[in-house]
Amino acid sequence: MTRHLLTDNVYLTYVPSEKFKTSFLSAQMAMPLSKETAALNALLVNVLSRGTSRCPDMDALGRELDMLYGARLDPTVRRKGENQLFGFVASCIDDKYLSSGEKLLEPLTELLGEMLCSPVLQDGRLNPSYVDSERANLTDLIRSDINDKRSYAARRLREEMFADEPFGVNRLGSAEDAEAITLDALDRHYHSILPRTRLELFYCGSAPEDRVAAAYRRALSGLPRSGRLEPAVTCRRAAPERARLVTEELDVTQGKLCIGFRAESPDEHAAIVVNAMFGGSSNSKLFLHVREKLSLCYYAGSSYDREKGALMVSSGIEFANYDRAMEEIMAQLAAIQRGDWEDWELAGAKSYLLNNFRSMEDSAASLESFVLFHAVSGSKETLPELMEAVQAVTPERIMAAAKAVRPDTIYFLKGKETQE
């Protein structure tokens, strides 16, 4: 795997592979996540995906992709730390599997470049009907989050815990911000960020690197370059002396208890293992003890954002079990802090993590996410290096990292008729 500067603020990561029958490509703009631009970026990439000057609608795009043996090209909006990543991923049959000798890499990269640089215009601006329909779609998508209370509660915890930090901004922005976007505002935003924003390109397949680089250079020959807007450096903060409790009432029959912790240890590899032992795997203490043994939760798990140093617990409980569930969740963290675990728990956590990391090597899309996220954060750690580092984590390091995990915000979603 190599990564190099292709042109001004445009980087190409090349992953040679003979194991996949498809080639996987990606072009992602990376810029600081902010409330002011999150919805604009999310709307922009969806508007751009509606067509190009050469293929001005979905029917024409579909025909073009069909001509490339059913290739795919889809918009994406992601978040990494305090950065927003938005652009396109594409895939096609790897050229070596075409007996006709046709080349699909060049026409697919050309279409991808057109998506970014040559959108459908009307009177010199982005197509107004595409803007209107995609604005409505984005607004509906953001608002539909409340229909999945598990996802809704996790989002509300992030919003409350990181209320004055970019990390608390929804990757799609808010429904209110999306609804307020005008054609002129979106068009200005497009022409403002296109020349300046970092562009991360990715390729995984059997084509030689020089051919991939040449294909991307031709496809992006019309990409304007002036100024420089770099991704943000994600900032960490310490937890407050006393965790804050946020309670919300909705018409729900199952409570959602979410707890946000600040993982303040600089030993990120140990914190990764802590999360797996705590609630990030099927052998975790939250799953086996709080859910299975005590039946206090319908589900209980945790996730860890390595860049932000945030460990988030998500659980579904009976309203009346709030105090007991809270007590037991904290007790399981305390057990890890004092080294109270069996050998099989540590071995199982590491095995779970290593298997997940190895599985990334069997998916071009997973590899793209891994290298893209590391590139944006500035990390040069490879997947084998990550696996080696996790395997080397000692019990002492785990206890030290766990002791640096401190509660910041507790979010409890309960029913409207629930009594305190």
Side-chain angles (χ1 to χ4, degrees), residues 23 25 65 68-74 89-93 108 111:
S23 296
L25 301 88
L65 293 170
L68 300 178
Y69 295 87
R72 292 184 58 88
L73 203 165
D74 300 299
V89 295
S91 61
C92 63
I93 299 173
L108 187 56
L111 185 59

Side-chain angles (χ1 to χ4, degrees), residues 311-338:
L311 192 155
M312 319 291 277
V313 168
S314 177
S315 66
I317 65 173
E318 292 287 348
F319 305 132
N321 284 342
Y322 170 84
D323 289 330
R324 286 192 64 205
M326 189 68 201
E327 179 182 350
E328 288 297 334
I329 289 171
M330 298 306 296
Q332 298 312 306
L333 176 60
I336 299 175
Q337 291 171 338
R338 62 176 180 267

Side-chain angles (χ1 to χ4, degrees), residues 69-344:
Y69 295 87
R72 292 184 58 88
L73 203 165
D74 300 299
T76 62
V77 182
R78 291 175 275 184
R79 180 186 61 201
K80 172 58 177 174
E82 293 179 338
N83 288 292
Q84 188 180 26
L85 310 173
F86 53 101
F88 304 95
V89 295
S91 61
C92 63
I93 299 173
D94 197 284
D95 289 348
K96 70 178 182 179
Y97 290 100
L98 291 176
S99 58
S100 62
E102 284 185 76
K103 304 298 183 184
L104 301 186
L105 170 62
E106 284 77 8
L108 187 56
T109 53
E110 180 183 357
L111 185 59
L112 195 155
E114 290 174 5
M115 283 278 190
L116 284 171
C117 306
S118 185
V120 180
L121 301 179
Q122 183 173 315
D123 298 326
R125 298 183 299 176
L126 296 173
N127 186 292
S129 65
Y130 290 173
V131 172
D132 289 343
S133 61
E134 292 302 330
R135 182 198 303 114
N137 291 340
L138 178 61
T139 303
D140 290 344
L141 177 62
I142 297 170
R143 287 187 171 140
S144 69
D145 186 43
I146 198 171
N147 297 326
D148 180 346
K149 297 302 188 292
R150 182 172 180 171
S151 173
Y152 172 80
R155 175 174 65 81
R156 289 288 295 115
L157 171 64
R158 287 196 308 273
E159 290 176 348
E160 292 290 342
M161 180 171 169
F162 306 101
D164 58 346
E165 301 174 64
F167 195 75
V169 177
N170 188 332
R171 68 180 178 87
L172 299 176
S174 71
E176 294 74 20
D177 288 339
E179 201 168 37
I181 296 173
T182 64
L183 170 62
D184 285 342
L186 188 65
D187 192 74
R188 286 195 303 270
H189 182 69
Y190 169 64
H191 288 98
S192 170
I193 67 170
L194 187 65
R196 301 182 295 135
T197 304
R198 163 89 69 85
L199 184 61
E200 291 284 348
L201 307 174
F202 176 88
Y203 172 83
C204 179
S206 67
E209 184 173 8
D210 57 351
R211 180 184 162 203
V212 174
Y216 269 122
R217 283 195 183 94
R218 283 194 297 271
L220 297 171
S221 60
L223 179 69
R225 294 280 88 183
S226 63
R228 186 177 289 262
L229 178 60
E230 293 289 354
V233 176
T234 299
C235 297
R236 293 187 173 200
R237 292 188 185 179
E241 291 187 11
R242 187 182 184 90
R244 184 167 65 103
L245 172 62
V246 177
T247 302
E248 186 174 354
E249 296 183 0
L250 289 176
D251 187 14
V252 295
T253 57
Q254 182 187 116
K256 307 296 180 186
L257 172 60
C258 297
I259 310 169
F261 298 85
R262 303 275 184 169
E264 299 173 12
S265 171
D267 190 348
E268 297 174 0
H269 297 112
I272 290 172
V273 181
V274 168
N275 176 64
M277 295 178 67
F278 182 40
S281 72
S282 57
N283 290 321
S284 68
K285 287 183 175 294
L286 291 186
F287 183 84
L288 294 180
H289 187 80
V290 182
R291 182 186 184 277
E292 295 293 295
K293 181 179 179 181
L294 298 179
S295 299
L296 288 174
C297 302
Y298 296 103
Y299 63 88
S302 67
S303 61
Y304 171 63
D305 188 285
R306 177 179 175 181
E307 193 171 350
K308 186 62 177 176
L311 192 155
M312 319 291 277
V313 168
S314 177
S315 66
I317 65 173
E318 292 287 348
F319 305 132
N321 284 342
Y322 170 84
D323 289 330
R324 286 192 64 205
M326 189 68 201
E327 179 182 350
E328 288 297 334
I329 289 171
M330 298 306 296
Q332 298 312 306
L333 176 60
I336 299 175
Q337 291 171 338
R338 62 176 180 267
D340 184 7
W341 66 72
E342 301 292 336
D343 290 344
W344 63 263

